[in-house]
Amino acid sequence: KGVVGVGEAYLVVRNRILDLIAATYPALADECGRKKFEEAHLPEGVTL
């Protein structure tokens, strides 16, 4: 909380995880792609 860049880092990690899931499970690729464009629910106290 209160650390500059935490929100952005959270989104980068989240998108990377979705990419890895899509690569590992091709059947989930479309859903992972949709999730990347949905609004992320940031942890409490984290802002962009």
Side-chain angles (χ1 to χ4, degrees):
K1 181 175 177 178
V3 177
V4 176
V6 170
E8 290 84 0
Y10 178 85
L11 295 178
V12 168
V13 170
R14 176 182 179 267
N15 286 340
R16 182 66 182 130
I17 290 169
L18 288 169
D19 289 341
L20 290 170
I21 291 170
T24 304
Y25 303 101
L28 299 176
D30 289 339
E31 181 63 20
C32 289
R34 283 190 288 276
K35 291 286 186 187
K36 288 173 70 171
F37 292 101
E38 288 181 2
E39 183 177 350
H41 299 286
L42 299 174
E44 185 177 333
V46 174
T47 60
L48 290 176

